[in-house]
Amino acid sequence: QHPRRRGPGRALGAGSGSTGWGGIYATLIAAGHRASDLGRYTERQLKLYYREALRLERQRSARRLADVNAAFAGGDAARQRLKQLTD
């Protein structure tokens, strides 16, 4: 059964705070998946790609936080971080 036929709120569990298919599709499109391809993915693929997209976004956020922290600290911390990024 295709995920779009399961009804709203059933994508990743039917509890409060669960993500619906619209949120999953929006996340995958933002992560670079083509909207025209999503309908051909299996439910399992959609969920796996969605979780991976969230994991990658958390990693990007953590790197941004480290970069901003180093920039505000200035001095050696900022220089070392810049060297890491440019080597």
Side-chain angles (χ1 to χ4, degrees):
Q1 186 175 33
H2 195 275
R4 286 180 287 183
R5 295 186 192 132
R6 298 186 77 163
R10 302 277 319 255
L12 291 179
S16 63
S18 63
T19 301
W21 292 112
I24 291 174
Y25 275 44
T27 300
L28 293 177
I29 291 167
H33 293 263
R34 291 184 301 199
S36 60
D37 290 341
L38 295 178
R40 291 191 287 270
Y41 292 172
T42 65
E43 180 177 343
R44 185 169 191 276
Q45 286 173 313
L46 287 167
K47 290 178 180 181
L48 289 171
Y49 290 145
Y50 173 70
R51 287 186 182 110
E52 184 64 13
L54 294 180
R55 186 185 69 77
L56 292 171
E57 180 53 37
R58 286 191 303 270
Q59 284 183 340
R60 284 189 292 272
S61 183
R63 285 193 302 266
R64 279 192 306 271
L65 181 60
D67 292 342
V68 169
N69 187 36
F72 273 102
D76 289 338
R79 280 190 289 280
Q80 288 173 357
R81 182 67 182 145
L82 184 59
K83 184 170 176 23
Q84 287 175 343
L85 293 171
T86 56
D87 281 348

